[in-house]
Amino acid sequence: MSANIVGIGTRKVTLLGNPVLRKVLRKLKPDEIRSEEIRRLVQEMAVTMDEYDGVGVAGNQVGEDLSVFVMGLPKGTKRHPDGIELTVVFNPVIKPIGDEFEEDWEGCLSVPDLRGKVRRHSKLELTGHGLDGKPFKRTYEGFPARVVQHETDHLNGLVYLDRMDGLKTLSYMSEIGRRG
Ligand code: NI
Protein backbone atom coordinates (compact mmCIF):
# COMPACT_ATOMS: atom_id res chain seq x y z
CA MET A 1 0.00 0.00 0.00
CA SER A 2 1.72 3.17 1.17
CA ALA A 3 5.14 1.58 0.63
CA ASN A 4 4.59 1.78 -3.14
CA ILE A 5 4.34 5.56 -3.32
CA VAL A 6 7.21 6.76 -5.47
CA GLY A 7 9.78 8.93 -3.74
CA ILE A 8 8.42 8.47 -0.24
CA GLY A 9 11.15 7.17 2.04
CA THR A 10 11.39 5.54 5.42
CA ARG A 11 12.32 7.78 8.34
CA LYS A 12 14.67 6.69 11.09
CA VAL A 13 12.76 6.18 14.34
CA THR A 14 14.00 8.23 17.30
CA LEU A 15 15.00 6.26 20.38
CA LEU A 16 14.40 6.89 24.08
CA GLY A 17 16.93 9.49 25.20
CA ASN A 18 16.26 11.74 22.21
CA PRO A 19 14.79 14.93 23.75
CA VAL A 20 12.07 15.18 21.09
CA LEU A 21 10.36 12.15 22.67
CA ARG A 22 9.90 14.18 25.87
CA LYS A 23 8.38 17.23 24.22
CA VAL A 24 4.75 18.27 24.20
CA LEU A 25 4.33 18.54 20.44
CA ARG A 26 3.02 21.51 18.52
CA LYS A 27 -0.58 21.44 17.35
CA LEU A 28 -1.32 22.08 13.66
CA LYS A 29 -3.87 24.44 12.13
CA PRO A 30 -6.20 23.08 9.39
CA ASP A 31 -4.37 25.03 6.64
CA GLU A 32 -1.06 23.56 7.69
CA ILE A 33 -2.55 20.05 7.82
CA ARG A 34 -3.58 20.38 4.17
CA SER A 35 -0.10 21.48 3.05
CA GLU A 36 2.08 19.41 0.74
CA GLU A 37 4.83 19.08 3.39
CA ILE A 38 2.44 17.56 5.91
CA ARG A 39 0.91 15.25 3.31
CA ARG A 40 4.41 13.99 2.55
CA LEU A 41 5.26 13.67 6.23
CA VAL A 42 2.26 11.45 7.00
CA GLN A 43 3.04 9.29 3.97
CA GLU A 44 6.56 8.85 5.27
CA MET A 45 5.20 8.05 8.73
CA ALA A 46 2.95 5.33 7.25
CA VAL A 47 5.85 3.87 5.26
CA THR A 48 8.04 3.96 8.37
CA MET A 49 5.35 2.19 10.41
CA ASP A 50 5.21 -0.58 7.79
CA GLU A 51 8.98 -0.84 7.55
CA TYR A 52 9.45 -1.13 11.32
CA ASP A 53 6.44 -3.45 11.68
CA GLY A 54 4.74 -1.04 14.08
CA VAL A 55 1.07 -0.45 14.80
CA GLY A 56 1.48 3.30 15.28
CA VAL A 57 4.01 6.08 14.78
CA ALA A 58 3.91 9.52 16.40
CA GLY A 59 5.38 12.75 14.99
CA ASN A 60 8.27 12.87 17.45
CA GLN A 61 9.18 9.26 16.59
CA VAL A 62 10.27 10.52 13.18
CA GLY A 63 11.89 13.58 14.77
CA GLU A 64 9.11 16.11 14.11
CA ASP A 65 7.72 18.48 16.73
CA LEU A 66 4.19 18.06 15.37
CA SER A 67 1.08 16.69 17.04
CA VAL A 68 0.18 13.87 14.65
CA PHE A 69 0.08 10.10 14.74
CA VAL A 70 -0.51 7.37 12.20
CA MET A 71 -1.86 3.95 13.16
CA GLY A 72 -2.82 0.85 11.25
CA LEU A 73 -2.60 -2.92 11.22
CA PRO A 74 -3.58 -5.36 8.46
CA LYS A 75 -6.34 -7.86 9.22
CA GLY A 76 -5.46 -11.39 10.20
CA THR A 77 -2.40 -10.83 12.35
CA LYS A 78 -1.91 -12.59 15.68
CA ARG A 79 -1.60 -9.23 17.39
CA HIS A 80 -5.18 -8.26 16.59
CA PRO A 81 -7.02 -10.33 13.94
CA ASP A 82 -9.58 -7.57 13.22
CA GLY A 83 -6.80 -5.20 12.18
CA ILE A 84 -6.88 -1.42 12.51
CA GLU A 85 -7.83 0.81 9.61
CA LEU A 86 -4.99 3.10 8.50
CA THR A 87 -5.78 6.34 10.33
CA VAL A 88 -4.04 9.71 10.60
CA VAL A 89 -5.01 12.02 13.46
CA PHE A 90 -3.73 15.53 14.13
CA ASN A 91 -4.00 17.26 17.53
CA PRO A 92 -5.61 14.23 19.21
CA VAL A 93 -7.47 14.53 22.49
CA ILE A 94 -8.77 11.51 24.41
CA LYS A 95 -11.87 11.33 26.55
CA PRO A 96 -12.26 8.00 28.39
CA ILE A 97 -15.71 6.40 28.20
CA GLY A 98 -16.78 4.52 31.32
CA ASP A 99 -14.40 3.44 34.06
CA GLU A 100 -13.17 0.09 32.77
CA PHE A 101 -9.49 -0.64 32.38
CA GLU A 102 -7.53 -3.43 30.69
CA GLU A 103 -3.96 -4.48 31.36
CA ASP A 104 -1.89 -5.91 28.51
CA TRP A 105 1.59 -5.94 27.00
CA GLU A 106 2.86 -2.90 25.15
CA GLY A 107 5.99 -2.18 23.21
CA CYS A 108 7.33 0.84 21.36
CA LEU A 109 9.55 1.37 18.32
CA SER A 110 11.46 3.97 20.36
CA VAL A 111 12.18 1.40 23.11
CA PRO A 112 13.29 -1.60 21.02
CA ASP A 113 13.01 -5.23 22.12
CA LEU A 114 11.17 -4.56 25.39
CA ARG A 115 7.60 -5.12 26.48
CA GLY A 116 5.76 -4.16 29.63
CA LYS A 117 2.24 -4.47 30.97
CA VAL A 118 0.25 -1.25 30.94
CA ARG A 119 -3.21 -0.50 32.28
CA ARG A 120 -5.29 1.50 29.80
CA HIS A 121 -8.87 2.71 29.50
CA SER A 122 -10.95 0.06 27.70
CA LYS A 123 -13.00 2.55 25.74
CA LEU A 124 -12.54 6.16 24.69
CA GLU A 125 -13.59 8.95 22.39
CA LEU A 126 -10.86 10.41 20.21
CA THR A 127 -11.20 13.90 18.77
CA GLY A 128 -8.75 15.87 16.66
CA HIS A 129 -8.33 16.71 12.99
CA GLY A 130 -8.23 14.39 10.00
CA LEU A 131 -6.05 14.57 6.88
CA ASP A 132 -8.48 17.04 5.30
CA GLY A 133 -8.05 19.40 8.27
CA LYS A 134 -11.65 18.83 9.33
CA PRO A 135 -12.67 17.76 12.85
CA PHE A 136 -12.21 14.06 13.53
CA LYS A 137 -14.23 12.16 16.13
CA ARG A 138 -14.41 8.42 16.73
CA THR A 139 -14.77 5.92 19.54
CA TYR A 140 -12.33 3.05 20.08
CA GLU A 141 -12.44 -0.02 22.27
CA GLY A 142 -9.96 -2.73 23.27
CA PHE A 143 -6.67 -3.01 21.34
CA PRO A 144 -7.23 -0.01 19.02
CA ALA A 145 -8.11 2.11 22.11
CA ARG A 146 -4.80 0.98 23.62
CA VAL A 147 -2.91 2.08 20.50
CA VAL A 148 -4.68 5.46 20.51
CA GLN A 149 -3.69 6.02 24.15
CA HIS A 150 -0.09 4.96 23.50
CA GLU A 151 0.27 7.26 20.48
CA THR A 152 -1.47 10.23 22.09
CA ASP A 153 0.88 9.86 25.06
CA HIS A 154 3.83 10.23 22.66
CA LEU A 155 2.48 13.60 21.52
CA ASN A 156 2.48 14.71 25.15
CA GLY A 157 6.07 13.60 25.72
CA LEU A 158 5.20 10.32 27.45
CA VAL A 159 6.20 6.72 26.69
CA TYR A 160 4.50 3.55 27.93
CA LEU A 161 7.17 3.07 30.62
CA ASP A 162 5.75 6.17 32.34
CA ARG A 163 2.34 4.46 32.45
CA MET A 164 3.48 1.17 33.99
CA ASP A 165 2.61 0.41 37.60
CA GLY A 166 6.26 -0.24 38.42
CA LEU A 167 8.80 -2.02 36.22
CA LYS A 168 8.34 -5.61 37.39
CA THR A 169 6.71 -6.77 34.15
CA LEU A 170 9.34 -5.08 31.93
CA SER A 171 10.68 -7.91 29.76
CA TYR A 172 12.65 -8.66 26.65
CA MET A 173 10.29 -9.68 23.89
CA SER A 174 12.44 -12.77 23.22
CA GLU A 175 11.79 -13.95 26.79
CA ILE A 176 8.04 -13.43 26.65
CA GLY A 177 7.85 -15.52 23.48
CA ARG A 178 5.17 -13.40 21.91
CA ARG A 179 5.10 -10.43 19.60
CA GLY A 180 2.58 -7.94 20.89
NI1 NI B 1 5.50 4.05 21.01
Side-chain angles (χ1 to χ4, degrees):
M1 37 163 218
S2 45
N4 295 324
I5 297 167
V6 176
I8 300 295
T10 302
R11 296 282 198 105
K12 195 175 170 192
V13 170
T14 53
L15 298 177
L16 194 65
N18 188 317
V20 77
L21 290 172
R22 291 309 192 174
K23 283 189 82 168
V24 176
L25 303 184
R26 185 171 73 77
K27 291 188 167 24
L28 293 98
K29 296 199 170 71
D31 280 354
E32 197 178 2
I33 290 170
R34 289 188 289 262
S35 71
E36 197 49 48
E37 293 98 303
I38 295 300
R39 188 146 303 241
R40 189 176 181 86
L41 170 66
V42 296
Q43 285 170 341
E44 290 186 343
M45 287 170 70
V47 170
T48 303
M49 184 172 74
D50 274 359
E51 189 70 26
Y52 280 78
D53 195 25
V55 181
V57 169
N60 47 1
Q61 289 188 285
V62 294
E64 301 289 344
D65 175 14
L66 295 171
S67 182
V68 54
F69 74 75
V70 172
M71 67 173 180
L73 180 71
K75 281 187 183 175
T77 66
K78 202 175 136 194
R79 245 187 288 193
H80 183 65
D82 292 345
I84 299 176
E85 188 187 341
L86 186 62
T87 308
V88 182
V89 188
F90 296 87
N91 315 325
V93 174
I94 283 169
K95 198 171 92 186
I97 298 173
D99 50 10
E100 272 183 53
F101 291 86
E102 287 170 26
E103 191 181 62
D104 206 349
W105 294 102
E106 276 183 40
C108 181
L109 299 180
S110 296
V111 190
D113 304 326
L114 291 168
R115 292 287 182 270
K117 285 195 173 176
V118 187
R119 208 167 76 103
R120 298 284 192 185
H121 294 285
S122 301
K123 197 173 175 186
L124 58 85
E125 182 187 84
L126 176 67
T127 55
H129 292 89
L131 256 184
D132 53 6
K134 292 184 179 152
F136 174 101
K137 184 173 171 180
R138 232 175 119 171
T139 59
Y140 291 95
E141 203 170 347
F143 181 68
R146 175 172 297 279
V147 176
V148 166
Q149 288 167 89
H150 179 115
E151 299 308 327
T152 302
D153 271 355
H154 272 303
L155 308 183
N156 291 308
L158 296 172
V159 295
Y160 78 88
L161 302 170
D162 303 318
R163 296 292 194 187
M164 290 174 69
D165 296 325
L167 296 176
K168 284 186 175 167
T169 63
L170 191 64
S171 309
Y172 281 98
M173 211 163 60
S174 55
E175 295 291 337
I176 304 169
R178 61 174 275 179
R179 312 246 156 189

